[in-house]
Amino acid sequence: MEITETFAHPRTLGRTGIEVSPLGFGCWAIGGEWAAPDGQPLGWGKVDDDESVRAVRRALDLGVTFFDTADVYGTGHSERVLGRALGKHRTDVVVATKWGNLFDERTRIADGQDDSPEYVRRALTASLARLGTDYVDLYQLHLSEGDLDAAAQLRDVCEELVAEGLIRAYAWSTDDPARAALFAQGPHCAAVQHCLNVIQDAPEMLALCEGLGLASINRSPLAMGLLTGKRTAGQTLEAGDIRNAPPAWLPGFTPGTGADPDWLAQVDGLRSILTSNNRTLAQGALAWLWARSPHTIPIPGFRSVAQAEENAAAMQKGPLTPGQLTEINQLLER
């Protein structure tokens, strides 16, 4: 494969010693359309599976070795597409997936959650089949506000799965440092996946990762596309795109009117810094994350070869400078 030089040695996935590229790829978007029982779209719109496969393989060529998905993305479809794309290169990469949400692959409807210890193994068995592999590198609880007592049991089940060789490490996808700390009590907990981008900083979570030696896997590193420069006020998206009818937990977008003008104004204020060194806006947003902490591993989404190439090229530019970080903080008054 064609591997380009990146700005640094691979980053370590927390306390595991597993090395990954500084940039991962998030596979939510390639799951295609799916929805909640009330019709609320939960995907990013229609996708071309062949293009998704080409994009994953192009990412491999460009040095990306970390791919993050979830069983519920596209109600199983994202895992199937990723498995098909990786093929014989499965052992060359680190694959992360998630469990906890219930769904129906036939209807493409997600409905309910299951935080029982018994469900973990059933969910993992199904994910392994869809991915076409016999192990998962990082298995993540996908219930952001899950019950703490139940989570302690799930952490112990994950330790059993590590001992059996079915997973190599585990994590919690949550924005709550207390929940992340609970999972981190397990010796094979490697990371926490949480929201982080230049607009939405998470200093408490980053301090936790620093203190406990966890990887900070960055969900929404491009603020759901607002940090790509491709969204404008009043621009609506296709009906099957979650951003066109955003649920309450998705900031930055308003129903029927697209991107929030206040968010776009913040992005415009940062544009000159983020596009330094001939970066695109998206590449600058990724550069901020790498400069923010040595523990960060951003996982931008993608649906095309062009997006894969633009995101991967950010690795050649490297992080922003400390001075640029300070300037951004001053502009955002934080």
Side-chain angles (χ1 to χ4, degrees):
M1 292 188 293
E2 168 199 350
I3 304 293
T4 60
E5 291 296 323
T6 59
F7 73 84
H9 295 294
R11 295 202 162 185
T12 302
L13 196 61
R15 304 174 295 199
T16 63
I18 299 171
E19 291 188 337
V20 297
S21 52
L23 179 73
F25 270 32
C27 300
W28 179 4
I30 66 172
E33 293 183 290
W34 51 297
D38 63 359
Q40 162 73 55
L42 297 173
W44 290 52
K46 292 182 173 63
V47 290
D48 178 335
D49 290 345
D50 290 338
E51 178 71 1
S52 297
V53 169
R54 287 190 291 268
V56 170
R57 292 176 178 169
R58 183 58 178 149
L60 289 168
D61 290 342
L62 296 172
V64 175
T65 64
F66 181 53
F67 295 87
D68 175 87
T69 185
D71 58 2
V72 76
Y73 294 164
T75 61
H77 193 65
S78 174
E79 288 184 329
R80 294 186 187 281
V81 171
L82 180 60
R84 170 188 161 196
L86 293 178
K88 65 182 181 180
H89 297 297
R90 167 64 185 97
T91 57
D92 299 327
V93 301
V94 173
V95 172
T97 193
K98 310 179 192 75
W99 93 94
N101 291 291
L102 302 175
F103 55 90
D104 188 325
E105 287 197 58
R106 297 167 302 163
T107 62
R108 297 182 78 95
I109 296 295
D111 185 15
Q113 300 177 336
D114 192 334
D115 64 358
S116 68
E118 296 76 20
Y119 182 65
V120 182
R121 193 176 296 271
R122 295 203 304 273
L124 177 59
T125 299
S127 286
L128 292 174
R130 286 188 291 263
L131 288 163
T133 185
D134 56 6
Y135 70 98
V136 164
D137 297 283
L138 184 69
Y139 203 36
Q140 302 162 104
L141 177 59
H142 206 182
L143 307 180
S144 181
E145 299 181 358
D147 177 79
L148 290 173
D149 290 336
Q153 291 183 305
L154 297 178
R155 180 195 63 210
D156 294 342
V157 173
C158 286
E159 286 292 333
E160 295 174 5
L161 296 174
V162 171
E164 295 172 32
L166 294 173
I167 66 174
R168 298 175 71 191
Y170 57 90
W172 196 337
S173 179
T174 179
D175 292 321
D176 178 18
R179 286 177 166 82
L182 175 71
F183 247 40
Q185 292 174 18
H188 292 92
C189 180
V192 55
Q193 182 170 144
H194 64 100
C195 179
L196 182 68
N197 57 61
V198 66
I199 303 296
Q200 298 169 285
D201 199 1
E204 189 177 352
M205 190 69 87
L206 289 174
L208 179 80
C209 291
E210 177 74 30
L212 298 181
L214 300 176
S216 162
I217 300 173
N218 309 138
R219 172 170 25 90
S220 298
L222 302 179
M224 300 290 282
L226 293 174
L227 285 162
T228 66
K230 299 171 185 175
R231 303 271 75 85
T232 59
Q235 174 191 28
T236 57
L237 296 106
E238 61 183 286
D241 193 316
I242 190 172
R243 296 168 295 180
N244 198 46
W249 52 263
L250 178 59
F253 294 86
T254 53
T257 59
D260 186 315
D262 291 339
W263 279 63
L264 291 175
Q266 290 186 78
V267 174
D268 283 340
L270 302 176
R271 188 179 299 272
S272 63
I273 302 174
L274 295 180
T275 56
S276 63
N277 194 28
N278 294 316
R279 294 180 177 94
T280 66
L281 188 62
Q283 290 168 349
L286 296 172
W288 178 86
L289 287 161
W290 289 319
R292 182 66 180 84
S293 166
H295 295 267
T296 55
I297 304 169
I299 50 169
F302 66 100
R303 282 191 285 180
S304 68
V305 170
Q307 289 174 325
E309 290 178 336
E310 179 182 358
N311 291 339
M315 293 190 289
Q316 300 175 48
K317 302 287 186 178
L320 297 182
T321 67
Q324 289 172 319
L325 283 186
T326 299
E327 188 176 356
I328 286 173
N329 284 336
Q330 291 171 344
L331 287 170
L332 295 176
E333 298 182 348
R334 64 187 185 201

